[in-house]
Protein backbone atom coordinates (compact mmCIF):
# COMPACT_ATOMS: atom_id res chain seq x y z
CA UNK A 1 0.00 0.00 0.00
CA UNK A 2 2.80 2.45 0.88
CA UNK A 3 4.43 1.84 -2.51
CA UNK A 4 1.14 2.55 -4.21
CA UNK A 5 0.75 5.82 -2.30
CA UNK A 6 4.25 6.93 -3.26
CA UNK A 7 3.52 6.25 -6.92
CA UNK A 8 0.25 8.11 -6.60
CA UNK A 9 1.98 11.14 -5.10
CA UNK A 10 4.62 11.09 -7.84
CA UNK A 11 1.92 11.17 -10.52
CA UNK A 12 0.67 14.50 -9.17
CA UNK A 13 3.90 16.20 -10.38
CA UNK A 14 3.22 17.06 -14.02
CA UNK A 15 3.80 13.56 -15.33
CA UNK A 16 5.76 12.34 -12.31
CA UNK A 17 9.16 13.46 -13.63
CA UNK A 18 9.48 16.92 -12.11
CA UNK A 19 12.16 15.79 -9.65
CA UNK A 20 12.73 16.87 -6.10
CA UNK A 21 13.57 20.30 -4.74
CA UNK A 22 15.84 20.58 -1.70
CA UNK A 23 16.26 23.87 0.13
CA UNK A 24 19.87 24.50 1.22
CA UNK A 25 20.93 27.23 3.63
CA UNK A 26 24.61 28.13 3.93
CA UNK A 27 25.64 30.18 6.96
CA UNK A 28 28.58 30.67 9.29
CA UNK A 29 29.30 27.79 9.98
CA UNK A 30 26.68 25.33 8.83
CA UNK A 31 25.01 23.68 5.86
CA UNK A 32 21.31 22.88 6.40
CA UNK A 33 18.94 21.04 4.05
CA UNK A 34 15.19 20.64 3.96
CA UNK A 35 14.51 17.78 3.51
CA UNK A 36 17.56 15.79 4.71
CA UNK A 37 17.05 13.05 2.11
CA UNK A 38 15.53 12.60 -1.32
CA UNK A 39 14.45 9.91 -3.75
CA UNK A 40 16.97 9.08 -6.50
CA UNK A 41 16.62 10.99 -9.75
CA UNK A 42 16.70 14.67 -10.61
CA UNK A 43 17.28 16.78 -7.53
CA UNK A 44 17.44 20.56 -7.61
CA UNK A 45 19.30 22.13 -4.72
CA UNK A 46 17.96 25.66 -4.16
CA UNK A 47 20.87 27.29 -2.33
CA UNK A 48 20.64 30.44 -0.20
CA UNK A 49 23.72 32.02 1.36
CA UNK A 50 22.30 33.46 4.58
CA UNK A 51 25.79 34.23 5.88
CA UNK A 52 27.98 37.30 5.78
CA UNK A 53 30.81 35.54 3.93
CA UNK A 54 30.94 34.12 0.40
CA UNK A 55 30.38 30.36 0.37
CA UNK A 56 30.30 27.51 -2.11
CA UNK A 57 28.22 24.36 -2.33
CA UNK A 58 29.87 21.03 -3.17
CA UNK A 59 28.02 17.70 -3.53
CA UNK A 60 30.24 14.68 -2.84
CA UNK A 61 29.24 11.04 -3.25
CA UNK A 62 31.05 8.87 -0.71
CA UNK A 63 30.73 5.97 1.69
CA UNK A 64 32.98 7.84 4.12
CA UNK A 65 31.55 9.74 7.08
CA UNK A 66 31.41 13.51 6.71
CA UNK A 67 34.32 13.90 9.15
CA UNK A 68 36.41 11.27 7.34
CA UNK A 69 36.78 12.95 3.94
CA UNK A 70 40.38 13.20 2.67
CA UNK A 71 41.94 16.48 3.73
CA UNK A 72 44.37 18.82 2.01
CA UNK A 73 47.18 20.37 4.05
CA UNK A 74 45.09 23.50 4.69
CA UNK A 75 42.18 21.57 6.23
CA UNK A 76 39.89 21.77 3.22
CA UNK A 77 38.65 18.59 1.53
CA UNK A 78 40.92 17.16 -1.16
CA UNK A 79 38.28 17.03 -3.91
CA UNK A 80 40.35 14.49 -5.86
CA UNK A 81 41.05 12.33 -2.80
CA UNK A 82 40.43 8.63 -2.48
CA UNK A 83 36.93 7.47 -1.63
CA UNK A 84 35.05 10.52 -2.86
CA UNK A 85 33.48 11.74 -6.09
CA UNK A 86 32.52 15.39 -6.55
CA UNK A 87 29.28 15.23 -8.56
CA UNK A 88 28.38 18.93 -8.61
CA UNK A 89 29.42 22.31 -7.35
CA UNK A 90 28.44 25.97 -7.26
CA UNK A 91 31.38 28.25 -6.48
CA UNK A 92 31.49 31.76 -5.02
CA UNK A 93 27.95 32.41 -3.81
CA UNK A 94 28.06 35.96 -2.40
CA UNK A 95 26.56 36.78 1.00
CA UNK A 96 22.80 37.17 0.68
CA UNK A 97 22.70 35.60 -2.80
CA UNK A 98 20.96 32.47 -4.06
CA UNK A 99 21.72 29.92 -6.75
CA UNK A 100 20.57 26.45 -7.77
CA UNK A 101 22.15 23.19 -8.84
CA UNK A 102 20.24 20.42 -10.63
CA UNK A 103 21.78 16.94 -10.53
CA UNK A 104 20.65 13.46 -11.49
CA UNK A 105 21.70 11.48 -8.40
CA UNK A 106 21.77 7.74 -7.83
CA UNK A 107 20.83 6.21 -4.50
CA UNK A 108 23.65 6.47 -1.98
CA UNK A 109 25.35 8.56 0.66
CA UNK A 110 26.44 12.12 -0.05
CA UNK A 111 28.17 14.86 1.90
CA UNK A 112 27.34 18.50 1.17
CA UNK A 113 30.07 21.01 2.05
CA UNK A 114 31.49 24.48 1.63
CA UNK A 115 35.14 23.89 0.76
CA UNK A 116 36.47 27.45 0.87
CA UNK A 117 39.79 28.02 2.59
CA UNK A 118 40.60 31.58 3.65
CA UNK A 119 44.34 31.99 4.11
CA UNK A 120 43.87 35.58 5.31
CA UNK A 121 41.66 34.26 8.15
CA UNK A 122 44.36 32.00 9.62
CA UNK A 123 45.07 34.45 12.47
CA UNK A 124 41.38 35.05 13.25
CA UNK A 125 39.90 31.54 12.99
CA UNK A 126 41.21 28.31 14.49
CA UNK A 127 40.10 26.53 11.28
CA UNK A 128 40.22 28.81 8.21
CA UNK A 129 38.69 25.97 6.18
CA UNK A 130 34.91 26.42 6.04
CA UNK A 131 34.56 22.61 6.00
CA UNK A 132 36.60 22.25 9.20
CA UNK A 133 34.60 25.11 10.76
CA UNK A 134 31.40 23.06 10.43
CA UNK A 135 30.07 23.71 6.93
CA UNK A 136 29.13 20.12 6.16
CA UNK A 137 26.14 17.82 6.36
CA UNK A 138 25.23 14.31 5.29
CA UNK A 139 22.54 13.79 2.66
CA UNK A 140 20.92 10.48 1.68
CA UNK A 141 19.51 9.69 -1.73
CA UNK A 142 17.15 6.71 -1.50
Amino acid sequence: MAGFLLVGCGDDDEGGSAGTSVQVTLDEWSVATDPASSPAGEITFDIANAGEEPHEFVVIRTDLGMLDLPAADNGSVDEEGEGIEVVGEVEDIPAGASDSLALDLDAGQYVLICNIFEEEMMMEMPDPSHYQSGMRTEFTVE
Side-chain angles (χ1 to χ4, degrees):
M1 179 89 164
F4 174 71
L5 292 175
L6 289 174
V7 171
C9 290
D11 288 341
D12 290 343
D13 292 333
E14 297 180 23
S17 62
T20 303
S21 180
V22 175
Q23 303 302 310
V24 178
T25 303
L26 306 175
D27 204 349
E28 288 82 48
W29 303 104
S30 67
V31 176
T33 64
D34 183 23
S37 65
S38 174
E42 185 169 323
I43 301 170
T44 300
F45 294 96
D46 294 314
I47 310 155
N49 182 354
E52 296 180 13
E53 299 284 329
H55 293 297
E56 69 176 0
F57 179 71
V58 184
V59 178
I60 298 171
R61 180 163 186 174
T62 184
D63 290 328
L64 302 172
M66 72 179 174
L67 299 176
D68 299 322
L69 302 181
D73 291 340
N74 63 16
S76 65
V77 172
D78 178 357
E79 294 184 15
E80 296 181 13
E82 190 171 328
I84 67 172
E85 175 190 1
V86 174
V87 294
E89 180 173 5
V90 177
E91 296 180 346
D92 301 322
I93 304 168
S98 298
D99 208 329
S100 65
L101 176 65
L103 298 170
D104 188 10
L105 298 180
D106 294 328
Q109 297 299 314
Y110 294 81
V111 177
L112 314 177
I113 69 170
C114 174
N115 205 29
I116 290 177
F117 170 79
E118 297 183 62
E119 191 169 330
E120 64 275 5
M121 298 296 285
M122 288 183 74
M123 301 302 252
E124 298 174 33
M125 294 173 60
D127 291 309
S129 157
H130 289 203
Y131 164 77
Q132 289 293 336
S133 295
M135 294 196 71
R136 58 192 180 245
T137 193
E138 294 176 325
F139 188 79
T140 302
V141 177
E142 302 165 340

